[in-house]
Amino acid sequence: MTVLACTCNRTQPIDAQALQAALRTPVVLHHALCRREAASFQRAARHGDELIVACTQEQRLFTELAAATEGVPPPDVRPIRFVNVRETGGWSRDAQRATPKMAALLAAARLPEPEPVPTVRYTSQGRLLIVGPLEQAAALADRLSDVWQVTLLGTGGALPQAHQHPVLAGRVHALRGWLGDFTLQWVDDNPIALDLCTRCNACVQACPEGAIGLDYQVDLNVCRAHRDCVRVCEAPGAIDFARSPEVQQATFDAVLDLRPQPAFTQHALPQGYVHLPPTLDAEQRLQRLWALRDLVGTFDKPKFFRYQPRLCAHARNERVGCQACVDVCSASAIRSDAQHNRIVVEPHLCVGCGACSTVCPSGALTFAYPDAAYQGRAIKTLLDTYRAAGGRDAVLLLHSQGAGQRLVQDWGRAARLDAALHGVPARVIPWALWHTASTGLELWLSAIAYGASQVVLLLTDEEAPQYRDALQAQLAQAQAVLSGLGYSGQHMHLVQARDVRDLAALDATIRTLPPAQGVAVAATYAVLADKRATLELALQHLIDHAPARPAHDTIALPSEGAALGTVQVDPERCTLCMSCVGACPAGALQDNPAAPQLRFIEKNCVQCGLCVRTCPEQAVALQPRLWLHAQRREPRVLHEQPPFHCIRCGKPFGTLKGVETMLARLAAHPMSQGAAAERLKMCGDCRVIDIHTHADVRITDL
C-alpha cells in the first residue's frame, strides 16, 4: 500500500516520516499533487498496490486521471481511497500536533469495504400527480411533460382552456405510498364532471350568483339552486346536482404537491413525494424540480435494517411493551403489529437513519449499512492507530456523511481564513456515519473502552427533532454508567449546529471540552453483530478497569431509554402465576420446574415492561440500573412460596398463596360449594378421579 500526501502548496504541515512509522507503509509527500506533480499520481496508480490519496477536494480530477492513464487497474479491481486530512486537521491552529489523527484517518481508509446488503427496488413508470392551484400546476405540467405523464388535481384557480393534461376534481381524502406506488383517494363531490366538461364557459356566464369559477367547480355555499347552468350545459351533460359524492382512487409514481402544507406529517417524506410550497425561494424550487425529473425508471437503495422478530420486545399475547422504534421513526416506516407480537418495517419508506436500532434495547433491529461490526472495527482502528502514534485524550466526533461532513469541511476552511477560529482540534477525530443516529450505546461505550476520552455527536438541521431527544437519552445512559464507575469528567456530548452560521459556537464548544478520564488499558475485543453481547463486553471491560466501584455494586440509570435494569416483585401480591415468565421476550424471567420460584437473570433484562403489563396482580415493577455483581449473569430467586399439596394424594401442584387466592375468589360461586370446593384443593388427576367416583349430580337426575 502507498499513501500520497500533499501539503496543498505548503499550507498544512505533514510529517511524512511520522506517518510512515505509524502506518508502516510508504508515505510520499507532495506539494502540488493535483497540478504539476500529477505524473507522480499516475505512476503510483499504475502499480497494483492499494493506493490512498490524502485529498478529497480533487477526488474527481484524480479519478478521471486514473481512468485516462494506461495500465491503471479499474476501480472495481483496485479502488483508490481518498481521505481528508486538510480540513479535518491540517488547517487548524494545532496542526503541528495533528499527525496522530492523520495517521488514524489514513489507517481507517485501509479497511475493506463493508459487506454488501440486500437492496430495495423502486419502479417508476412516469405517472406524475400535481396537486395545487390550477394555473401553477398546469405551468409546471407543461415543463415536465417531456419526462412525465402528468395528471392535475386542482385546489382552486383557473383551468386552462386547452385539454393538455387529465384533471381531477375533488378533495384529497388520503395519499399514501412511495416512489412507483402512490395511492390517491379523493372525494368527487362536485356537480360538474370535468371529464365531460368542454370548458365552453356557458355555465360561468349563466350562473347568477357567480358560484362557478374558471376551475369549473360549483361553490355550493354560494349556489342558490337556480339550475341555469344545467340548462345551458344540456348537450355535454356535465352538470348533475343529483350526483352523489363518491370516493375515487388512482395510482401514481410520484407526487408534486404545491399546497402550503404537505400531505405527509412525518419529518422524512416518502421517496417520490416532492413538496413545493409557495415559501420556497427560486434556488430551492429549482433544486427540487430538477431532482424530480430524474425519478423515472428503476432504482435500488440499500435495505438499511435487519429485523429479528424472535428478539423483539414489542408485544406478547397482544400486549404492547417496548415501542421505542415506532415512536422514534421519522419516516413513519414502522408500525405495530401486536396481534402477531411484532413490528412491521416498510423498507420502501425507511430512509436509513438508524435511530430505531439505536433505541432498540434488545437488538431485534440492527443497522446494516454498514453494520455495527464494521463500525466497531473502524472505531477501534482509529483509536488504536491514534494512540500508537502518540495521541492522547482522543475525542471521537461522529457526524453524518451529508450535512455533518459539509459542516466539518466548512469548519476547517473557515479556520484557514479566520484567525478567530481554532479549527478541528488535534485530538478530535471526525468520523462520518451514514446518519448520526445510526450508532448507539454499545458502540459509544466500546469507543471509551478502546481508549477514547470522549464521544461527541454532531447534529445538524437534517436530523428529525425526535432524534435529538432519543440520542440525548441514550447518551445519558452511557454517562451514568461511566460516572457510576468512577470515570471522572463528561464523556458523552451532543452538539447541535445548523450550518456555517453556527461555526463560531461549534468551534468554541469543541475547543474548550476538557478531557475526561479514560480507561487505563484499552480493550481488545471486537464489536459483534449482537447488540447485547457487545454491550456486555464493553460493560465488563469498563467494570474491570473502573477507578471506583459504587456502594452495593449498583449504579442507578435514568428511566428514559433504559436498556438495563432489574425487576421488583411485591411478595404480598405475587401468586407465582408465571404470566410474566411467558411474556418475557428476553428470557430474563424464568420459572423453576422443581419448585415454586420466580427466577431472574438481570443481564438479559431489556426493561421492555411486558412483565408489568402482563401481571394480573400488578405485582411487578421495573428498576433501571447496572448491577456490577457477577451474579447478574446467573439466575437468582425473586420470589418463592411453599407448594400446596393435594389433599387426596399429597402431591404438590401449585403454590399455597395461589390456591388460597383462587378459593377466596370462588368462595361465593354456587358451583364451588361443598365437594366442588374440596376438589379445588386436589391435583388434576385426583380431581378427575373424585368427579367420577363421587358424582353429586347425574345428568339423568335432572
Side-chain angles (χ1 to χ4, degrees), residues 644-655 658-660 662-663 673-696:
F644 186 90
H645 296 273
C646 174
I647 62 174
R648 190 172 187 274
C649 69
K651 183 178 69 175
F653 72 93
T655 66
V659 174
E660 289 176 347
M662 177 181 62
L663 292 173
Q673 306 299 319
E678 292 301 306
R679 291 190 193 105
L680 295 176
K681 304 175 185 178
M682 300 178 188
C683 67
D685 294 338
C686 292
R687 194 175 302 139
V688 173
I689 295 172
D690 189 71
I691 289 174
H692 285 280
T693 56
H694 300 90
D696 297 328

Side-chain angles (χ1 to χ4, degrees), residues 608-626:
C608 64
L610 277 168
C611 54
V612 177
R613 293 172 176 83
T614 301
C615 179
E617 286 86 17
Q618 298 181 344
V620 181
L622 300 178
Q623 181 187 2
R625 73 173 190 179
L626 173 60

Side-chain angles (χ1 to χ4, degrees), residues 397-398 436 439 444 455-459 471 475 493-495:
L397 178 64
L398 301 177
T436 315
T439 62
W444 303 335
V455 174
V456 178
L457 303 185
L458 176 60
L459 300 186
L471 290 171
L475 289 170
H493 299 269
L494 189 148
V495 178

Side-chain angles (χ1 to χ4, degrees), residues 227-252:
R227 302 298 186 262
D228 291 345
C229 56
V230 177
R231 176 180 53 80
V232 299
C233 192
E234 181 178 1
I239 305 178
D240 182 4
F241 282 87
R243 186 161 59 92
S244 300
E246 58 179 330
V247 177
Q248 300 193 42
Q249 181 171 303
T251 58
F252 300 93

Side-chain angles (χ1 to χ4, degrees), residues 6 29-43:
C6 183
L29 188 63
H30 296 275
H31 303 297
L33 184 63
C34 61
R35 296 296 183 265
R36 66 175 183 273
E37 296 174 326
S40 299
F41 166 78
Q42 291 177 294
R43 286 193 296 270

Side-chain angles (χ1 to χ4, degrees), residues 81-215:
R81 313 286 178 85
F82 297 89
V83 180
N84 185 338
V85 298
R86 188 180 69 179
E87 283 84 358
T88 58
W91 283 355
S92 172
R93 296 292 170 260
D94 52 4
Q96 297 287 350
R97 300 191 302 274
T99 298
K101 172 169 59 176
M102 293 181 181
L105 294 173
L106 292 169
R110 296 190 295 187
L111 293 173
E113 293 294 326
E115 292 294 325
V117 298
T119 57
V120 179
R121 174 155 292 186
Y122 299 89
T123 301
S124 171
Q125 300 175 358
R127 301 165 300 170
L128 175 66
L129 171 69
I130 302 181
V131 183
L134 287 167
E135 300 98 326
Q136 301 174 32
L140 288 173
D142 291 339
R143 289 166 173 78
L144 295 170
S145 59
D146 60 325
V147 176
W148 293 94
Q149 304 168 23
V150 182
T151 300
L152 308 180
L153 176 60
T155 59
L159 191 65
Q161 293 293 303
H163 282 267
Q164 295 290 339
H165 310 284
V167 182
L168 307 178
R171 295 177 290 105
V172 175
H173 177 67
L175 179 62
R176 55 183 177 272
W178 49 81
L179 178 64
D181 192 18
F182 281 102
T183 299
L184 169 72
Q185 291 181 335
W186 74 98
V187 180
D188 188 358
D189 57 357
N190 206 274
I192 301 180
L194 288 181
D195 55 344
L196 297 177
C197 177
T198 63
R199 305 177 193 177
C200 65
N201 296 326
C203 59
V204 178
Q205 291 181 313
C207 180
E209 293 92 4
I212 303 177
L214 291 180
D215 58 349

